[in-house]
Amino acid sequence: MTPPLETSSPRASVNETQKSQTSSVFHRSMDEDFLKIISADGIYLNLENGQRILDATGGPAVACLGHNNPSVKAAMVAQINSTAYCHSMFFTTEATEQLCDKLIRGTGGQMSKAFIASSGSEAIEAAIKMARQYFVELEGPNTKRQDFISRKPGFHGTTIGALSLGGHPLRRKLFEPLLGKYVSHVSPCYEYRGLEDGESQDGYVKRLAQELDDEFRRLGPGTVCAFAAETVVGSALGCVSPLPGYFAAMKRVCDKHGALLILDEVMCGMGRCGYLHAWQSPDVNVVPDIQTIGKGLGGGYAPISAMLIGKKIVDVVSSGSGAFNHGHTYQAHPVACAAALAVQNVIEDEGLVGRVRALGAILGAGLKSQLSKRWYVGDVRGVGLFWAIEFVKNKQTREPFNVSQQIGFRIHKVGISVPYSILLYPGGGYADGSTSDHILVAPPYTCSVNDIQYIVTTVGRVLDDFFNRSDSPKEFE
């Protein structure tokens, strides 16, 4: 993902810019000469120039099975040969029915229905509208519930509703006049930067719960539809897990004020964190009222996402209007559903969620051992196969680098260059009202122990090259 405008890459050379201008594609950056992939298999991307890149992030934590999985491809071809498209306003398909049934069973029956969309942003838009419709049907058309609370600097998508719900200042800035004023933001559970000196974890959680309760009170009784948060924060902060008891405390505040809890697991869900759903982790152990899933759902084989809905919401809508006032042309697309069903079958049949926990322990231990003492590494954190390295200018004060230095994106550029040829995912978090830098490492669930060890070693080499090169030390003073 190309960084926001304020952190876009440096201007390319004239020749590079002219070359990119010959493409009819409106790429994410008009300054980049995009590398062309001609094939992909397993954990590798094969480029037109002959380079072979190790995909250590699955894109943005998407390709959970790696590339070119034969079972998924066969399922997609079979579905195309059967029914390539149907309109969900009138019809359903066996692939859709089986996928939704599997998704609900994967929650242990804690969720009731699944709504299939095509992207994480679409799933979030559906969740916002579902929460509002629930209260209209429950309390009547004159209900005062129209507000939402989410967290700084949460990222929930790029469509206007999803961007409104998110709290990332750099992503919001350009579109601020267009964003909904019905969302307010509270602090994240971000131990590395949020825990105060001498404060216990329990004390920190209580303080955050009080902050949320205070925001409910500020907005007024009976006005908030839901509190929304990423169960494990992805690209906005870099694989930040909640402290034990955090979401239980947040859920108690929501229940106290009659509001819903929306958990966004578009990036961190579907096995990525070592549990099929991140909220099933013992450190979370809280069932949301609405949940969104996406990237690991289809593993990149087709555009697909989903909203999972709790029983109390389904019951209210079922006994009221009997219909969700929302829909998309490509909703529950048969080929996408067939692809996602095949991906989830592979994950289940091969026991990959447990494998993620085992490999994640190796990956985390390796990254911490290799990197924690480096002067520029502030924190190494993560869970399952979802890890991040946060960079700091001063290890003691945790001072971040200036946003203009584009540390994360430049590290990514070094990583994909020869001799390293490794894809690392850059991100910008939130520190002191501005931004911090990190990279994500999120390899496929199917990678080997040798792959993990090679990734750890290569990440260390990339970072040493970037921070210790002879022509750059003054930049980091």
Side-chain angles (χ1 to χ4, degrees):
M1 177 181 293
T2 301
L5 292 181
E6 290 83 353
T7 58
S8 59
S9 56
R11 297 294 297 184
S13 68
V14 173
N15 288 340
E16 286 177 328
T17 302
Q18 288 176 342
K19 184 175 180 181
S20 67
Q21 296 288 338
T22 64
S23 172
S24 298
V25 178
F26 198 151
H27 287 292
R28 291 198 182 198
S29 171
M30 299 183 73
D31 291 342
E32 288 294 306
D33 185 18
F34 281 77
L35 301 171
K36 186 180 293 184
I37 297 173
I38 59 171
S39 67
D41 56 275
I43 199 171
Y44 288 96
L45 307 172
N46 303 307
L47 305 187
E48 185 180 42
N49 63 6
Q51 189 179 359
R52 187 166 165 85
I53 292 182
L54 191 155
D55 187 358
T57 67
V62 173
C64 57
L65 298 186
H67 305 279
N68 206 22
N69 184 281
S71 298
V72 181
K73 291 194 300 180
M76 295 176 72
V77 170
Q79 185 61 53
I80 290 172
N81 288 336
S82 170
T83 308
Y85 173 75
C86 75
H87 189 11
S88 61
M89 182 179 289
F90 308 118
F91 305 105
T92 187
T93 63
E94 186 62 22
T96 301
E97 297 296 328
Q98 287 190 25
L99 174 62
C100 291
D101 181 66
K102 191 174 190 69
L103 292 176
I104 296 306
R105 284 190 285 110
T107 70
Q110 297 284 0
M111 306 302 278
S112 180
K113 299 285 185 181
F115 175 94
I116 306 297
S118 300
S119 71
S121 295
E122 284 186 14
I124 288 292
E125 295 282 345
I128 292 170
K129 294 173 79 172
M130 184 79 266
R132 166 64 181 175
Q133 181 173 337
Y134 166 73
F135 282 109
V136 170
E137 302 222 13
L138 180 68
E139 300 177 353
N142 294 323
T143 180
K144 295 187 295 180
R145 292 193 186 267
Q146 63 180 27
D147 295 321
F148 288 78
I149 304 173
S150 65
R151 304 186 302 183
K152 300 175 282 191
F155 178 64
H156 297 289
T158 56
T159 51
I160 293 298
L163 193 61
S164 299
L165 192 66
H168 198 293
L170 295 182
R171 296 183 187 275
R172 290 171 56 97
K173 185 176 180 180
L174 180 64
F175 307 102
E176 198 73 49
L178 308 179
L179 301 183
K181 307 306 179 185
Y182 54 85
V183 181
S184 58
H185 302 92
V186 295
S187 301
C189 185
Y190 186 12
E191 184 179 14
Y192 177 66
R193 293 192 178 276
L195 187 70
E196 296 178 350
D197 291 342
E199 186 177 35
S200 68
Q201 289 185 344
D202 286 346
Y204 181 35
V205 167
K206 289 178 181 177
R207 175 161 60 87
L208 293 174
Q210 186 60 57
E211 180 185 357
L212 180 61
D213 188 71
D214 290 344
E215 184 62 13
F216 270 101
R217 293 176 182 277
R218 185 189 72 82
L219 293 169
T223 60
V224 177
C225 290
F227 168 62
E230 296 166 272
T231 314
V232 177
V233 184
S235 60
L237 287 179
C239 305
V240 173
S241 299
L243 289 173
Y246 169 78
F247 274 112
M250 300 300 108
K251 183 68 164 63
R252 286 194 294 271
V253 175
C254 291
D255 290 345
K256 174 182 175 182
H257 294 278
L260 302 176
L261 173 64
I262 299 173
L263 290 184
D264 179 349
E265 298 200 359
V266 168
M267 196 172 200
C268 67
M270 305 314 295
R272 175 57 62 183
C273 293
Y275 295 87
L276 187 61
H277 302 290
W279 56 260
Q280 294 172 328
S281 160
D283 285 345
V284 180
N285 196 29
V286 168
V287 181
D289 297 298
I290 298 173
Q291 176 189 356
T292 58
I293 53 178
K295 301 179 188 301
L297 174 59
Y301 287 90
I304 190 167
S305 64
M307 170 180 63
L308 306 183
I309 315 160
K311 185 176 185 300
K312 75 175 184 181
I313 297 174
V314 172
D315 287 347
V316 165
V317 175
S318 177
S319 62
S321 67
F324 183 26
N325 189 18
H326 180 66
H328 293 281
T329 299
Y330 291 106
Q331 176 184 330
H333 191 279
V335 179
C337 288
L341 179 61
V343 168
Q344 297 310 308
N345 284 338
V346 171
I347 290 174
E348 181 178 21
D349 294 345
E350 298 185 8
L352 294 184
V353 174
R355 180 177 174 79
V356 167
R357 288 199 295 273
L359 290 175
I362 297 171
L363 176 61
L367 290 173
K368 287 181 178 181
S369 174
Q370 173 99 337
L371 303 175
S372 291
K373 294 183 180 179
R374 301 269 210 293
W375 69 264
Y376 48 80
V377 173
D379 196 25
V380 179
R381 55 179 177 257
V383 61
L385 290 177
F386 199 42
W387 285 81
I389 301 103
E390 181 171 341
F391 305 107
V392 292
K393 187 174 182 180
N394 185 303
K395 205 174 183 75
Q396 283 66 46
T397 65
R398 303 178 186 177
E399 178 187 359
F401 290 98
N402 190 286
V403 63
S404 66
Q405 293 177 284
Q406 308 167 73
I407 299 297
F409 190 70
R410 288 165 60 202
I411 289 170
H412 151 77
K413 296 287 282 186
V414 171
I416 62 172
S417 69
V418 177
Y420 308 111
S421 295
I422 188 171
L423 181 62
L424 305 172
Y425 194 81
Y430 190 79
D432 302 326
S434 180
T435 188
S436 59
D437 294 281
H438 57 259
I439 56 169
L440 269 60
V441 179
Y445 309 168
T446 51
C447 63
S448 68
V449 172
N450 286 340
D451 291 332
I452 294 293
Q453 292 170 340
Y454 180 81
I455 288 170
V456 169
T457 300
T458 306
V459 168
R461 292 170 56 217
V462 169
L463 296 184
D464 282 345
D465 181 352
F466 179 75
F467 284 102
N468 298 329
R469 61 182 62 176
S470 60
D471 62 341
S472 63
K474 288 186 179 180
E475 176 184 359
F476 303 121
E477 291 177 355

